[in-house]
C-alpha cells in the first residue's frame, strides 16, 4: 500500500506492432482503473529478447510502446511508465525467484509450448524462465492487482504460487497479486480465424487490426473478416466470427451483446461489419492523433523515461533488499 492506495502493475512486450487485442484486452483497462491505484506500467523489453530481435528495431518499438501508453491516456506524472531494462531489480529478483520455481511448473506453461513450437531453432533458457521474470516484475512492486488479458492467467497463477511459497518459507515478504480481467475484450480473436487469438506476431496481417492502421485499412480488414452463412447477428458459440465482432463492437462502444443483437436485428453482415469498423475508428483515431503529437516532443518523452525509471528503481529496491536479506545475502557495507 503506497499513499493509501493499492498497487497495480502491468506490462507489455515491445515485440511487433500493438493490435486491437492488446488495446481492448489490456491497455484500455489500464486507463480505466489506473486512478484508483498506485501504478507501474512497464515496457517489458527484457522479455522481448526471449525471441531474436533486431536491436535498432527493438529500441524503436520500445519507444513507440511507451509513447502509446501515454497516448492511450496514462498520465506519466501519475503513472510510473518505464522500461524494464532500466531497472536492475527485475533481473536480480528474477534470479532469486528462479531458485524457487520448479522445472515441472514451467514445463506446463502453454505460452512456452506455443512459442517453443514457433521458434524451434531458438528454444533458449530465457524463453523457458520467461514467467519467472514476469513474476519478478509483479512481486518487485508488491502489486495487489495485475490487469491482463485472459491468455496471461496461467502466468499469474504461477506468480501467486511463487509468492505464497516464498512467504511460507520467509514470512510475509510478497503481496500475493490478483488478476484483473476486463469485462469486454478480454480475448479478441483473429479476424481471419476466430479460433485463434489476435496476436501481434501473426503472419497474416489481415487477421489483426494494428493500432497504427489507417482508416481505409481498418475498414477493409473488417469487410474481409471471416463470418458464417447464418446471416444473423447473434452472440453464440456457433458463430465465433460474429461473436468476436460483437465483442469488439461492445468493447469500443460500451454496449452489451444483447443491445448489439437488437440494434442489428434484420440487418446484413455488411452493415454490421461497417458499424464495427466505424466503432473501432472512433477509438483509434484520437489515439493515433495523440501519439503523433507526443512523438514530436522528444525532450518531454526523454524526461518521462528518466524520471520514471528512477522512481521505479526506488520502489523496487525496497522489495529487493528485503528479499536479499531473507535469503541470506550479506549486508551491504555503507
Ligand atoms: P505476441 O503475439 O508477441 O505473443 P501478444 O499480442 O500476445 O504478443 P503480449 O505482449 O503478449 O501480446 O500481451 C500484452 C497484453 O495484451 C497482455 O495483457 C495480453 O493478455 C493482452 N492481449 C494480447 N492479445 C490479446 C487479445 N487477442 N485479446 C485480449 N487481450 C490480449
Ligand atoms: N507476459 C506478458 C507481459 C508481461 C506482463 C508482466 C504482464 C511481462 N511482465 C507483468 C503483466 C505483468 C504478456 O502479456 N505476454
Amino acid at each position: 500500500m503506497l499513499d493509501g492506495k493499492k498497487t497495480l502493475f502491468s506490462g507489455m512486450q515491445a515485440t511487433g506492432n500493438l493490435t486491437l487485442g492488446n488495446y481492448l484486452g489490456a491497455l484500455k483497462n489500464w486507463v480505466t482503473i489506473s486512478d484508483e491505484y498506485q501504478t507501474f506500467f512497464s515496457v517489458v523489453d527484457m522479455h522481448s529478447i526471449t525471441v531474436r530481435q533486431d536491436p535498432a528495431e527493438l529500441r524503436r518499438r520500445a519507444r513507440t510502446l511507451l509513447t502509446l501508453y501515454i497516448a492511450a491516456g496514462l498520465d506519466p506524472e501519475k503513472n510510473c511508465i518505464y522500461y524494464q531494462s532500466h531497472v536492475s531489480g527485475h533481473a536480480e529478483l528474477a534470479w532469486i525467484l528462479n531458485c524457487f520455481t520448479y522445472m515441472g511448473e514451467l514445463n506446463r506453461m502453454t505460452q512456452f509450448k506455443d512459442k517453443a513450437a514457433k521458434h524451434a531453432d531458438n528454444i533458449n533458457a530465457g524463453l523457458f524462465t520467461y514467467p519467472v521474470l514476469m513474476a519478478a516484475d509483479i512481486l518487485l512492486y508488491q502489486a495487489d492487482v495485475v490487469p491482463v488479458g485472459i491468455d496471461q492467467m496461467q502466468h499469474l497463477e504461477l506468480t501467486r504460487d511463487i509468492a505464497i511459497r516464498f512467504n511460507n518459507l520467509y514470512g510475509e515478504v510478497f503481496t500475493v497479486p490478483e488478476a484483473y480481467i476486463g469485462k469486454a475484450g478480454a480475448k479478441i480473436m483473429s479476424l481471419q480465424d476466430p479460433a485463434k487469438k489476435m496476436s501481434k506476431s501473426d503472419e497474416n496481417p489481415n487477421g489483426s487490426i494494428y493500432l497504427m492502421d489507417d482508416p481505409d485499412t481498418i475498414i477493409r480488414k473488417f469487410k474481409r473478416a471471416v463470418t458464417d452463412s447464418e446471416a444473423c447477428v447473434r452472440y453464440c458459440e456457433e458463430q465465433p466470427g460474429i461473436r468476436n465482432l460483437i465483442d469488439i463492437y461492445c468493447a469500443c462502444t460500451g454496449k452489451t451483446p444483447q443491445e448489439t443483437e437488437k440494434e442489428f436485428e434484420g440487418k446484413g453482415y455488411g452493415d454490421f461489419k461497417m458499424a464495427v469498423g466505424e466503432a473501432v475508428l472512433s477509438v483509434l483515431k484520437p489515439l493515433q492523433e495523440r501519439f503523433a503529437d507526443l512523438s514530436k516532443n522528444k525532450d518531454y518523452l526523454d524526461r518521462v523515461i528518466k524520471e520514471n525509471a528512477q522512481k521505479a528503481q526506488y520502489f523496487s529496491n525496497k522489495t529487493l533488499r528485503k528479499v536479499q536479506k531473507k535469503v541470506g545475502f550479506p549486508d551491504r557495507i555503507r
Side-chain angles (χ1 to χ4, degrees):
M1 187 86 78
L2 297 166
D3 295 343
K5 284 181 177 176
K6 288 192 166 184
T7 303
L8 179 158
F9 184 96
S10 202
M12 270 191 217
Q13 295 194 73
T15 33
N17 294 319
L18 242 59
T19 70
L20 188 63
N22 300 127
Y23 180 71
L24 298 179
L27 194 48
K28 186 166 172 279
N29 295 327
W30 296 2
V31 179
T32 314
I33 63 172
S34 60
D35 274 351
E36 297 163 42
Y37 297 92
Q38 166 90 19
T39 61
F40 296 88
F41 294 109
S42 187
V43 170
V44 293
D45 47 358
M46 288 161 65
H47 280 100
S48 302
I49 63 164
T50 52
V51 303
R52 274 303 162 258
Q53 302 290 338
D54 173 72
E57 185 71 358
L58 176 58
R59 220 183 318 278
R60 189 185 64 74
R61 286 199 160 135
R63 190 159 174 116
T64 298
L65 184 54
L66 187 131
T67 310
L68 270 173
Y69 285 5
I70 305 172
L74 295 169
D75 176 352
E77 308 292 332
K78 294 192 191 139
N79 301 278
C80 187
I81 294 173
Y82 72 99
Y83 295 126
Q84 183 188 33
S85 63
H86 283 189
V87 178
S88 56
H90 292 260
E92 292 178 80
L93 182 61
W95 174 254
I96 297 174
L97 298 183
N98 265 319
C99 304
F100 293 85
T101 308
Y102 299 114
M103 300 286 285
E105 289 178 308
L106 294 176
N107 256 326
R108 282 199 293 275
M109 296 292 120
T110 56
Q111 184 175 302
F112 170 70
K113 290 185 216 168
D114 292 349
K115 297 249 154 145
K118 228 176 184 172
H119 305 275
D121 55 334
N122 180 23
I123 306 177
N124 60 73
L127 195 63
F128 189 61
T129 60
Y130 175 114
V132 184
L133 179 59
M134 177 162 163
D137 298 340
I138 297 167
L139 301 180
L140 203 47
Y141 299 92
Q142 306 288 355
D144 298 277
V145 52
V146 184
V148 281
I150 279 177
D151 62 308
Q152 292 302 311
M153 264 318 270
Q154 198 184 26
H155 288 162
L156 215 75
E157 298 285 346
L158 177 69
T159 303
R160 290 168 54 87
D161 290 344
I162 298 172
I164 293 168
R165 181 172 307 145
F166 198 93
N167 287 351
N168 282 340
L169 285 164
Y170 299 106
E172 293 303 301
V173 178
F174 294 126
T175 302
V176 180
E178 304 275 349
Y180 175 97
I181 309 275
K183 281 184 209 75
K187 193 164 187 190
I188 301 297
M189 310 311 277
S190 159
L191 299 184
Q192 289 299 309
D193 177 0
K196 234 173 59 183
K197 127 182 144 142
M198 186 182 283
S199 155
K200 8 184 171 78
S201 48
D202 196 339
E203 313 80 50
N204 182 355
N206 288 325
S208 303
I209 300 289
Y210 298 104
L211 298 191
M212 292 301 159
D213 276 348
D214 60 65
D216 289 349
T217 308
I218 292 177
I219 297 294
R220 179 175 52 75
K221 286 181 180 175
F222 277 109
K223 275 189 183 159
R224 285 195 192 167
V226 169
T227 50
D228 51 58
S229 51
E230 299 285 319
C232 151
V233 177
R234 207 171 35 201
Y235 195 72
C236 61
E237 301 278 344
E238 295 75 35
Q239 294 178 249
I242 288 295
R243 194 177 131 118
N244 188 39
L245 292 178
I246 296 180
D247 275 334
I248 294 174
Y249 188 68
C250 291
C252 291
T253 58
K255 293 178 185 169
T256 64
Q258 292 69 34
E259 286 166 347
T260 309
E261 284 177 347
K262 252 212 194 99
E263 188 178 343
F264 293 95
E265 213 175 299
K267 295 200 178 128
Y269 284 171
D271 288 348
F272 178 51
K273 285 176 169 184
M274 271 310 282
V276 181
E278 296 291 345
V280 169
L281 275 183
S282 69
V283 171
L284 293 192
K285 208 161 160 273
L287 181 88
Q288 293 180 355
E289 285 165 5
R290 280 196 299 271
F291 178 83
D293 280 348
L294 280 164
S295 302
K296 286 184 217 139
N297 206 337
K298 180 176 180 305
D299 292 347
Y300 169 72
L301 286 174
D302 285 348
R303 182 173 63 77
V304 163
I305 289 167
K306 184 174 166 200
E307 289 178 2
N308 279 326
Q310 286 167 348
K311 190 171 158 197
Q313 183 80 37
Y314 169 79
F315 283 112
S316 59
N317 263 343
K318 291 195 193 185
T319 306
L320 187 65
R321 297 289 170 256
K322 203 159 148 189
V323 172
Q324 288 171 329
K325 204 176 166 107
K326 290 284 185 188
V327 299
F329 292 169
D331 288 339
R332 283 160 198 254
I333 314 292
R334 286 171 205 284

